Amino acid sequence: MRLTFVTSNPGKVEEARKYFKPLGVEVHQLHIEYPEIQADTLEEVAEYGLEWLAERFEGPFFLDDSGLFIEALNGFPGVYSAYVYKTLGIGGILKLLKGEANRRAHFRSVVAYWDGEVHLFTGKVEGMITEEPRGAGGFGFDPVFMPDGFDRTFAEMTTEEKNRISHRGRALKAFAEWLKENLK
Ligand code: IMP
């Protein structure tokens, strides 16, 4: 089986490819920019993007909308994570948290699949924002996110390790289980 992943993020593609490979599913990247609306939830952003694409391109395909939610910042950057990463970057987030004792945060991911209708799959991982960036793997905020139960950041893990516990890995797992049930 072959799945089309609409994204311009090579880090997300790498994770989806590594996730699906042992299941015998090949992931093909479709590099199309779609509008990411301003909304309160990742679900709304994902669904709007998916429907926008469905009006213009032949499915099936999927996309992923994710975000980092920092407790001390009332969930910021959340749905604005991509923009904040581009503008403030990791350094900006560390500055905002300087002197802050509560460094709890979580990542959420919404995988949205179009096959004539919308199917949403979600995943979440809890953790902490480190004081300093660590590690060279992954992408985005990975160097400052340490998942609960580990003393390494996502950037210090292999893609397979990250997939086993990450927000995206969990959303992909729900997606894979749905595919198994529904594509018999
Ligand atoms: P979007 O899903 O394209 O809207 O982008 C979400 C943004 O959140 C990305 O640009 C990253 O900065 C960040 N992000 C999402 N998932 C991850 C992850 O697995 N690791 C690190 N940063 C992430």
Side-chain angles (χ1 to χ4, degrees), residues 7-9 12 15 34 36 42 45 64-68 77-86 107-109 138-143 145 154 162 166-168:
T7 181
S8 50
N9 185 326
K12 290 184 182 179
E15 290 178 16
Y34 54 86
E36 289 203 16
L42 297 175
V45 179
D64 163 295
D65 199 64
S66 17
L68 175 66
V79 289
Y80 309 110
S81 294
Y83 181 70
V84 168
Y85 182 75
K86 264 183 264 162
F107 268 118
R108 273 195 84 227
S109 165
F139 69 96
F141 296 107
D142 277 349
F145 187 83
F154 272 163
K162 181 183 168 190
S166 78
H167 50 311
R168 186 163 304 99

Side-chain angles (χ1 to χ4, degrees), residues 9-103:
N9 185 326
K12 290 184 182 179
V13 175
E14 160 85 0
E15 290 178 16
R17 285 211 170 116
K18 290 248 163 79
Y19 184 86
F20 278 112
K21 196 160 187 238
L23 307 178
V25 176
E26 194 190 318
V27 175
H28 157 74
Q29 181 183 9
L30 191 56
H31 201 302
I32 299 169
E33 300 281 343
Y34 54 86
E36 289 203 16
I37 55 160
Q38 249 184 9
D40 291 339
T41 64
L42 297 175
E43 279 84 349
E44 287 168 85
V45 179
E47 197 162 338
Y48 184 90
L50 199 69
E51 285 171 348
W52 185 92
L53 287 163
E55 281 168 18
R56 290 159 181 83
F57 302 95
E58 183 89 22
F61 44 69
F62 74 98
L63 57 80
D64 163 295
D65 199 64
S66 17
L68 175 66
F69 298 77
I70 299 174
E71 213 171 87
L73 305 178
N74 296 325
F76 183 81
V79 289
Y80 309 110
S81 294
Y83 181 70
V84 168
Y85 182 75
K86 264 183 264 162
T87 51
L88 301 180
I90 285 180
I93 290 293
L94 291 179
K95 227 184 249 175
L96 286 174
L97 287 179
K98 212 171 168 75
E100 175 60 61
N102 176 11
R103 305 189 71 90

Side-chain angles (χ1 to χ4, degrees), residues 143-162:
V144 288
F145 187 83
M146 194 160 72
D148 285 350
F150 292 81
D151 58 6
R152 284 174 297 143
T153 67
F154 272 163
E156 293 175 302
M157 296 182 178
T158 64
T159 304
E160 287 84 351
E161 275 179 296
K162 181 183 168 190

